[in-house]
Amino acid sequence: MESERSAVYSSDRSPVTRRGFLGLTAAAALAAGVSGCATGNSGSSAGAPRPGGRLRAVFPGGGADEVLDPHTTDLYAEVARAKALFDKLADYGSDMSPQPRLAERWESSADLLTWRVPLRQAAFHDGKPLRADDVLSSYARILRPDSTRRAKASLSVIDLANSRAIDDRTVEFRLKRPYAEFPNALATLGAYIVPEGAQHFDRPIGSGPFRFTSFEPGRSFLAARNPDYWDGAPHLDELEILVSNDESARVNALLGDQADYAHDLTATTARSHEEAGQIQIHRLPLSNFHALAMKVDRPPFDRREVRQAFFHLIDREELVRSVLQGSGEVANDLFGKNYQYYNDALPQRRQDLDQARALLRQAGAENLTVELLTSEASPGLREAALAIADQAKQAGVTVKVTLGNKDTYWSDIADRGSVVSYRSGAMPIESHISQRLLSGSTTNNTKWQRREFDELYHQAQATSDERARTELYMEMQRELFEEGGFLWWGVSDWIVASANRVGGIDDRAPANTLDWARFDKVWMG
Amino acid sequence: MNLPRYVFRRALLGVVQVFLAMVLVFLLTEALPGDAAVTAAGDNPDPAIIELMREQLGLNAPWWHRLGEWMFGAVQGDFGRSLVGPRSVVDIIGSSVGPTLLLAMLTLALVVPVSLGLGILAANREGRLVDRVITSTTLGLYSVPEFAMGILLVTVFAVQLGWFPPTAVGGSALLSRPEVLVLPVLVLLLRPICSLSRLIRAGMIEALHSGFVQQARRCGLPPLRVQLAHALPNAAVPAVQQLARTTDWLIGGVIVVEAIFVIPGLGTTLIEAVSARDLPVVQGLSLVLASVTVLVNLAADIVARLLAPAAEVDG
């Protein structure tokens, strides 16, 4: 490491990173490659962007308990509302690389312990300018000891007591440990910047593209264009976010002209409406990863050969065809296909029953019987489990599928079961590793606890040279690919639909990234 | 037994019933896997965060302690606060009771005249074409579950024909756009109309053949008066009790209809509260629903007694 320069700030990234741009185009090429499913804006009759109109978007929601506190966002509807009213310092691009938002850019010291973040010239809806103190107090609110907020885990790397405002528009963060991917923390879910001292969010004031108008929890939310938005005023006059937990009701609302945008549809629905042309179907790629999580600390998966046998007995193409109904693509046993730092040099695994049988023999585990724990906590989990049980039979493995409780499934699988159904939304590969694959990770469902692996991760975070860091990520993924506990078999699209007159929906942005549900860039034709 | 004593006894029983329902709901919710802290954590179940939430929500106290506290508050009209959001239970119930009440009232207001009309008509045309059409239609419709009926009506009348809006999405001001209520109320109406009109038909036929109606006819009373003043009250006794049961049933039907048509009422709130393990809200709602059920049944029994004092209906 070039520690001599420790006091000097090295410019690390320009506002739009080259890497981010490449990642984005790669994703676009990919979407075009598997075309036939991606309608994109070609089906739109929206024409060129024009100002005006109200967009009515229907999302599944959280009912009467919903709040507008942006630091408690958990559901897609909450994120969409928070995104309309507030900004984060950064957000994820379509390849999960952090893109500057309220941060103009970021610069780190050579030891990666001090990060200087100049802020954009932006203002809150009440006219007050965004200041460094707003950023620090927002993070302090998330990091309070009694806080249970989701962003707390990612932001806790900040040594808040020693972080400071250099001037009104520059924040200097001190970190507790070197962290090369610190901008990921700035982009993390729920890390929104609120005005200093804001505690109540009945009439929230943010710096986002829309200004609050009205809110009925679990029913509707209305916001109006912020003409002074730093990233350009939205085309729309008004944005209305409606709530319906019933998928067919969301589609019906769209068909019946009660809504212009419907979030979260099933592949079956998408297919039946795709041809009709009444509405546009958007398949947002790389949004939802599907896996089996094998616990490496207990039989039979404490034996490497058994895990490898499972890698070989899965027919990924068939799972994508049947469980994802073709709305997605196969994965290669690794999380984060086509994201920044993804190891795409590894050969694509395919079903190889002979190899699977040989590995089982090697492990002395012929005629293996395992219990596969699944639930209906997320669509497709149970179907995948049943299909995998069928496939395993071909290699002489008996998989007994057990259905768990859907409301508590994600915490149940922390310790229960030796192999369980798993899925994950989009997040950077770095977050995936730090949250799930380190010895001290809070949701380490595969019990992957290896000191050497932790060491690789920490080494990567202490490496400022991007190429060297990339190589460390490749190495971590090679290890996971060979003998890890996660079997990521597919990645599905996130399906949304819109009325034909709606233009400007980005068809390449995975759910929960910057360009997803970005209604300030959408217009009504 | 005289009426006031009967009412008092039934009311007392009702209070006991409500109390038992409360305890039962508490125990059942308690028996569900997971608690509000676990379900709130969702797919990010950090054990430390879950423990911190449990502490903040007071979930670490033993169940009898929490039940006792809740009951103590409820008696004083304090139903506690939601475990998931910042609102009070009373506030949550208050903001979702409107749509449900509206649906139930509209349904009840329409179900009585329509089923009376159909039942009397069929009884007077016993065995003739009109009777056979009414009988077979009501039997057929009765066997269609609400959710299927709802989906069918939406597909035909909202999506294909475009006569009515397919959902009520967009907030609670339902009365300002009454067209969104047509299909939900229709779904809620169909089954009770079928069961009630069949009961009224059967009761009317029996009453029309009975001795006292024959006698009234022989005395030369006008036919309409015979029908409404002599035959109907006797025919209506089972129907009134069925109407009470219909009201109980409506609570369940409303949950289904609210889900299909995106009506943010008590049913929707209950489902969400159960899946979030938001115990205070579940309990508050159970208290409301149990009280409504008890009151409606009490009222039905009293009305039945007034209509036919001879037929001793014992609570």
Side-chain angles (χ1 to χ4, degrees):
Chain A
M1 272 179 53
E2 314 122 293
S3 49
E4 296 91 338
R5 298 193 304 137
S6 62
V8 187
Y9 289 90
S10 61
S11 179
D12 196 41
R13 285 160 215 220
S14 57
V16 176
T17 63
R18 193 173 62 88
R19 195 181 50 245
F21 177 70
L22 286 176
L24 232 140
T25 39
L30 195 103
V34 295
S35 197
C37 51
T39 20
N41 286 322
S42 52
S44 168
S45 58
R50 64 171 206 87
R54 175 195 286 194
L55 180 97
R56 300 157 299 170
V58 211
F59 281 73
D65 286 314
E66 288 179 351
V67 288
L68 288 179
D69 184 341
H71 293 156
T72 64
T73 51
D74 225 359
L75 306 164
Y76 288 111
E78 292 171 333
V79 178
R81 284 190 294 250
K83 195 171 190 165
L85 298 175
F86 298 92
D87 283 302
K88 296 187 280 193
L89 290 188
D91 209 341
Y92 298 122
S94 296
D95 72 338
M96 286 292 138
S97 64
Q99 306 293 318
R101 297 294 292 161
L102 285 181
E104 207 156 63
R105 60 182 184 280
W106 34 75
E107 298 155 354
S108 68
S109 61
D111 63 0
L112 299 166
L113 276 167
T114 307
W115 289 73
R116 192 170 278 194
V117 178
L119 302 176
R120 227 173 264 284
Q121 184 160 5
F124 290 106
H125 299 153
D126 58 3
K128 293 198 181 118
L130 166 84
R131 296 160 310 127
D133 283 338
D134 298 313
V135 173
L136 289 168
S137 76
S138 295
Y139 286 3
R141 183 169 186 260
I142 293 168
L143 288 169
R144 276 207 306 242
D146 63 340
S147 146
T148 54
R149 301 183 164 102
R150 195 180 254 255
K152 190 179 184 181
S154 305
L155 292 180
S156 59
V157 69
I158 300 173
D159 174 4
L160 211 56
N162 289 312
S163 301
R164 63 197 175 104
I166 289 181
D167 56 48
D168 259 3
R169 282 195 30 215
T170 315
V171 192
E172 188 182 83
F173 292 106
R174 277 294 291 177
L175 305 189
K176 295 173 186 164
R177 57 174 172 84
Y179 186 21
E181 313 287 336
F182 176 59
N184 282 347
L186 307 180
T188 202
L189 192 64
Y192 291 95
I193 306 304
V194 302
E196 187 177 9
Q199 289 300 339
H200 302 288
F201 294 89
D202 303 331
R203 303 192 60 80
I205 290 174
S207 62
F210 293 93
R211 291 174 177 170
F212 174 80
T213 307
S214 66
F215 179 53
E216 271 189 276
R219 299 172 190 182
S220 70
F221 164 85
L222 189 64
R225 171 199 284 132
N226 172 10
D228 307 320
Y229 189 48
W230 61 267
D231 199 14
H235 302 297
L236 299 170
D237 284 338
E238 283 180 309
L239 168 66
E240 188 174 16
I241 292 181
L242 305 165
V243 170
S244 161
N245 284 328
D246 187 79
E247 192 239 2
S248 65
R250 290 197 293 278
V251 178
N252 287 335
L254 192 56
L255 292 169
D257 194 28
Q258 292 183 301
D260 312 293
Y261 180 97
H263 195 249
D264 191 2
L265 306 183
T266 63
T268 325
T269 308
R271 226 174 20 207
S272 58
H273 291 289
E274 209 145 35
E275 299 306 317
Q278 269 179 291
I279 53 176
Q280 301 177 73
I281 301 290
H282 309 269
R283 295 169 189 264
L284 314 179
L286 309 177
S287 293
N288 209 358
F289 288 83
H290 304 264
L292 286 184
M294 305 177 274
K295 289 196 167 56
V296 304
D297 66 339
R298 64 197 67 178
F301 297 101
D302 52 350
R303 272 168 300 181
R304 195 178 60 159
E305 293 84 2
V306 175
R307 302 199 292 275
Q308 289 171 333
F310 266 68
F311 283 140
H312 284 100
L313 59 77
I314 303 296
D315 184 346
R316 294 164 188 76
E317 283 84 7
E318 190 195 292
L319 291 174
V320 169
R321 223 173 16 248
S322 61
V323 177
L324 306 186
Q325 307 207 30
S327 191
E329 32 184 313
V330 296
N332 198 21
D333 302 337
L334 290 174
F335 178 83
K337 185 171 183 173
N338 293 349
Y339 290 171
Q340 184 187 18
Y341 301 126
Y342 179 71
N343 189 336
D344 53 6
L346 296 165
Q348 173 65 49
R349 260 201 199 113
R350 297 209 150 71
Q351 187 183 39
D352 184 345
L353 295 174
D354 293 334
Q355 182 76 19
R357 284 192 206 97
L359 283 160
L360 288 170
R361 230 181 352 258
Q362 217 175 311
E366 289 139 308
N367 306 317
L368 181 70
T369 300
V370 291
E371 187 184 308
L372 169 54
L373 179 61
T374 187
S375 82
E376 287 174 337
S378 166
L381 282 189
R382 191 176 64 96
E383 292 78 357
L386 294 170
I388 286 168
D390 266 352
Q391 296 178 354
K393 213 178 291 169
Q394 303 170 332
V397 176
T398 310
V399 174
K400 288 189 189 151
V401 177
T402 317
L403 202 62
N405 182 282
K406 72 179 173 62
D407 296 326
T408 58
Y409 182 71
W410 302 115
S411 76
D412 291 343
I413 59 173
D415 291 304
R416 272 188 65 193
S418 58
V419 55
V420 303
S421 291
Y422 200 78
R423 68 124 194 93
S424 170
M427 61 169 68
I429 290 174
E430 182 272 315
S431 309
H432 166 66
I433 292 173
S434 67
Q435 289 175 22
R436 298 166 178 158
L437 292 166
L438 301 183
S439 299
S441 293
T442 49
T443 54
N444 189 335
N445 285 317
T446 56
K447 307 291 175 195
W448 179 261
Q449 288 165 329
R450 296 194 172 188
R451 204 168 303 148
E452 319 84 75
F453 186 87
D454 297 353
E455 194 41 54
L456 282 178
Y457 170 80
H458 290 303
Q459 201 185 325
Q461 295 320 319
T463 302
S464 58
D465 178 52
E466 176 122 15
R467 200 167 303 155
R469 191 164 66 239
T470 307
E471 184 41 50
L472 289 165
Y473 274 111
M474 297 299 143
E475 202 179 324
M476 283 183 262
Q477 290 176 80
R478 271 195 296 272
E479 190 176 338
L480 294 169
F481 179 78
E482 283 309 325
E483 51 180 312
F486 274 122
L487 194 169
W488 298 99
W489 54 262
V491 49
S492 57
D493 306 328
W494 192 262
I495 304 177
V496 304
S498 67
N500 285 328
R501 63 178 174 281
V502 177
I505 294 171
D506 191 320
D507 281 332
R508 297 159 311 187
N512 244 347
T513 57
L514 172 61
D515 291 322
W516 157 85
R518 194 171 178 189
F519 296 115
D520 54 320
K521 298 293 177 205
V522 163
W523 67 89
M524 307 290 287
Chain B
M1 205 174 0
N2 60 0
L3 194 66
R5 257 194 76 195
Y6 174 73
V7 171
F8 179 73
R9 243 188 68 189
R10 285 288 283 101
L12 209 62
L13 182 72
V15 172
V16 175
Q17 282 172 327
V18 170
F19 177 78
L20 288 178
M22 293 303 314
V23 176
L24 195 65
V25 163
F26 187 92
L27 293 179
L28 286 174
T29 332
E30 195 69 17
L32 282 173
D35 54 25
V38 168
T39 55
D43 62 358
N44 187 27
D46 179 344
I49 297 276
I50 291 180
E51 201 36 52
L52 187 58
M53 280 183 85
R54 282 209 178 109
E55 214 164 284
Q56 288 173 3
L57 299 174
L59 293 174
N60 286 330
W63 67 266
W64 42 267
H65 187 252
R66 283 178 287 132
L67 176 62
E69 236 173 27
W70 191 86
M71 292 255 171
F72 187 69
V75 172
Q76 301 166 52
D78 174 15
F79 289 22
R81 310 192 73 78
S82 159
L83 297 182
V84 182
R87 300 168 76 197
S88 74
V89 174
V90 172
D91 184 24
I92 288 179
I93 294 179
S95 67
S96 51
V97 75
T100 303
L101 208 60
L102 181 64
L103 279 182
M105 288 301 165
L106 277 174
T107 309
L108 286 176
L110 290 168
V111 81
V112 174
V114 176
S115 2
L116 274 179
L118 281 176
I120 293 173
L121 182 66
N124 280 294
R125 301 278 189 281
E126 190 191 345
R128 308 242 287 273
L129 182 66
V130 178
D131 180 31
R132 289 210 303 276
V133 169
I134 293 177
T135 302
S136 51
T137 314
T138 51
L139 265 178
L141 285 179
Y142 188 69
S143 55
V144 183
E146 294 86 53
F147 73 89
M149 182 64 73
I151 291 168
L152 195 75
L153 290 180
V154 168
T155 310
V156 175
F157 294 105
V159 175
Q160 284 179 5
L161 295 173
W163 291 358
F164 304 105
T167 73
V169 75
S172 52
L174 299 175
L175 273 177
S176 64
R177 37 190 190 130
E179 67 278 7
V180 303
L181 290 167
V182 175
L183 294 180
V185 169
L186 198 57
V187 174
L188 284 175
L189 272 176
L190 283 172
R191 288 183 83 184
I193 283 181
C194 295
S195 59
L196 278 177
S197 65
R198 291 196 48 73
L199 272 174
I200 289 169
R201 174 189 174 274
M204 279 300 279
I205 288 173
E206 200 187 314
L208 290 173
H209 291 299
S210 70
F212 66 91
V213 169
Q214 308 287 357
Q215 179 63 24
R217 284 213 177 108
R218 273 195 293 276
C219 291
L221 289 175
L224 192 68
R225 181 135 180 241
V226 172
Q227 294 251 344
L228 295 185
H230 294 265
L232 187 60
N234 279 283
V237 171
V240 168
Q241 280 163 327
Q242 175 66 23
L243 187 65
R245 246 163 280 146
T246 300
T247 313
D248 303 350
W249 168 88
L250 260 181
I251 293 169
V254 157
I255 292 179
V256 174
V257 164
E258 284 181 358
I260 298 174
F261 292 98
V262 198
I263 296 168
L266 292 183
T268 312
T269 307
L270 181 61
I271 291 175
E272 279 154 3
V274 170
S275 68
R277 306 287 188 272
D278 196 346
L279 209 56
V281 176
V282 175
Q283 292 200 294
L285 279 167
S286 319
L287 181 61
V288 170
L289 298 180
S291 309
V292 168
T293 309
V294 165
L295 279 177
V296 166
N297 280 288
L298 177 62
D301 285 349
I302 294 168
V303 171
R305 253 182 95 98
L306 290 174
L307 281 174
E312 176 80 7
V313 191
D314 202 9

